[in-house]
Amino acid sequence: MSPTLTGKPPIIIAHRGASGYRPEHTLAAYELAIDLGADFIEPDLVSTKDGVLIARHENEISETTDIVNHREFADRQTIKIIDGETKKGWFTEDFTLAELKTLRAKERIPEMRSPNTRYDGLWEIPTLQEIIDLVKSKSAQIGRTIGIYPETKHPSYFKSLGLSLEKPLLATLKATGYQGTDAPVFIQSFEVSNLKELSRKTDLPLVQLLNESGKPFDFVASRDSRTYADLATASGLREISKYAQAVGVNKNLIFPRDSAGKLRSLTAGVSPSPTFLVTNAHAAGLLIHAWTFRNEDSFLPLDFQGNPQGEYELFFSLGIDGVFSDYPDTAKQVLRP
Ligand code: G3P
Ligand code: CA
């Protein structure tokens, strides 16, 4: 068993809330995650037309809300290019908060998580402020500090609209008392330039997200040739450590899978083989948090079908500092049985 960077136990980050059990990014999903043992809850943040930060994984909201049933908004369906991808639907930046509050959340993957559809239509899209209010009241109620782990979604895109995410994010965090390097908050981004900008404006912990392929969209826009694979090298991680305190990585960057979905083995008969990412991140002084841990077999590697606990055990054995999980209770069962 390898140690974490600080020697403290890994943290459990509820990925979009307890999204295995409730429609993601709802106050109910976050509250259940806290009740199930999460240390941090993770809101993905986008902006409304009037500049309010709300929790959605995408700014296009037809997959996770009932907007298609709102005839009054039918004429706002449109096609946009977001970070190079063409999307058709309804976009948060075209609606005021008051309008978005008339919508209700729904389960993203009903075919896989059908029990969660019983909650469709019940809950609003929450604002960042409402999420912080929930975290503070739950922390006081249970006597345990719950952190928040907000992600800036499409930061360059929102900046181009004059709806910068960073300014209201920092203002809200400051107004609600989050300050200093030890504050229970991590601000994450798949882009680089907004994290660098944030590092000049705040000493709150920052997290560079790394995916298993592709490159940060701000690098696409600026024609920077570097990819996520470049950022995940030992030298790339040292560069990241100049502006961030952690990396949040696709777990396949730690244990790559083969084309069949089995964890890759570099030595015949010996399984599975990790990369040096955890070692290199720690050597650069960076915490490393991995995503996304889910219980369903269709998400699990072949090695751990029916055994999500085994997957956590494998990753924790490397000394990772935290996991993003849709099922914080399963992570807790392994970490704090
Ligand atoms: O933010 C890291 C983790 O949440 C994975 O990304 O796409 O689910 O927001 P995503
Ligand atoms: Ca996220």
Side-chain angles (χ1 to χ4, degrees):
M1 181 73 78
S2 301
T4 60
L5 180 69
T6 61
K8 294 181 189 167
I11 57 170
I12 301 169
I13 306 147
H15 180 247
R16 313 181 195 173
S19 51
Y21 300 112
R22 298 287 185 273
E24 68 186 41
H25 291 316
T26 57
L27 291 181
Y30 299 131
E31 181 167 19
L32 179 62
I34 295 166
D35 291 338
L36 293 178
D39 302 302
F40 283 75
I41 58 170
E42 192 229 2
D44 295 319
L45 297 176
V46 294
S47 181
T48 67
K49 184 177 184 177
D50 41 352
V52 181
L53 296 183
I54 57 170
R56 286 292 95 190
H57 184 260
E58 299 90 6
N59 53 330
E60 197 289 298
I61 51 176
S62 58
E63 274 187 277
T64 63
T65 72
D66 61 359
I67 194 158
V68 71
N69 299 329
H70 283 251
R71 296 183 62 81
E72 70 276 23
F73 297 139
D75 63 354
R76 274 188 250 181
Q77 186 183 38
T78 187
I79 296 172
K80 300 192 186 198
I81 298 174
I82 311 294
D83 294 357
E85 282 185 44
T86 302
K87 303 273 183 188
K88 182 178 181 182
W90 290 263
F91 297 82
T92 59
E93 64 269 25
D94 297 333
F95 294 83
T96 63
L97 177 65
E99 289 172 330
L100 290 168
K101 280 291 188 183
T102 67
L103 307 180
R104 293 294 178 269
K106 67 174 187 177
E107 172 56 44
R108 173 190 293 277
I109 39 177
E111 64 287 352
M112 183 177 296
R113 293 174 176 171
S114 58
N116 300 355
T117 61
R118 82 186 78 159
Y119 307 110
D120 286 359
L122 292 184
W123 298 311
E124 298 175 5
I125 297 175
T127 64
L128 174 63
Q129 182 65 56
E130 289 166 343
I131 295 165
I132 291 172
D133 292 345
L134 171 74
V135 162
K136 288 187 178 270
S137 93
K138 288 293 285 186
S139 296
Q141 182 190 327
I142 64 177
R144 186 165 71 90
T145 299
I146 305 300
I148 55 167
Y149 206 121
E151 179 184 347
T152 55
K153 282 290 184 195
H154 312 298
S156 292
Y157 172 75
F158 277 107
K159 190 175 186 179
S160 75
L161 301 179
L163 290 170
S164 154
L165 303 174
E166 295 78 15
K167 196 172 172 186
L169 174 58
L170 289 186
T172 303
L173 292 174
K174 184 175 180 189
T176 49
Y178 291 93
Q179 56 183 345
T181 55
D182 293 327
V185 58
F186 287 97
I187 302 173
Q188 43 168 343
S189 179
F190 277 108
E191 295 190 15
V192 172
S193 53
N194 78 317
L195 285 177
K196 287 187 171 176
E197 184 185 329
L198 281 164
S199 74
R200 293 188 285 274
K201 295 182 175 168
T202 182
D203 53 5
L204 293 171
L206 304 177
V207 184
Q208 178 67 62
L209 296 173
L210 300 176
N211 213 340
E212 67 175 327
S213 62
K215 60 198 295 188
F217 185 71
D218 54 325
F219 282 9
V220 176
S222 65
R223 299 181 188 275
D224 188 316
S225 64
R226 288 174 296 165
T227 64
Y228 285 119
D230 295 320
L231 297 178
T233 62
S235 65
L237 292 163
R238 284 193 294 274
E239 280 299 304
I240 291 170
S241 72
K242 293 175 184 169
Y243 62 87
Q245 285 65 48
V247 283
V249 308
N250 185 316
K251 64 186 182 182
N252 296 341
L253 287 169
I254 298 175
F255 280 106
R257 300 185 192 197
D258 65 20
S259 56
K262 191 167 165 47
L263 298 183
R264 200 182 64 190
S265 172
L266 296 178
T267 311
V270 178
S271 66
S273 306
T275 64
F276 291 103
L277 184 56
V278 178
T279 305
N280 290 342
H282 284 176
L286 292 164
L287 298 162
I288 178 164
H289 301 150
W291 43 272
T292 302
F293 288 79
R294 298 175 166 118
N295 284 8
E296 293 90 352
D297 278 347
S298 54
F299 292 117
L300 286 164
L302 284 185
D303 318 57
F304 293 109
Q305 297 289 292
N307 179 22
Q309 296 86 353
E311 187 190 36
Y312 288 104
E313 284 164 4
L314 178 69
F315 278 79
F316 289 140
S317 74
L318 286 189
I320 64 169
D321 303 283
V323 289
F324 290 78
S325 175
D326 285 7
Y327 293 89
D329 50 340
T330 310
K332 184 187 169 199
Q333 189 187 345
V334 174
L335 270 185
R336 306 191 284 268

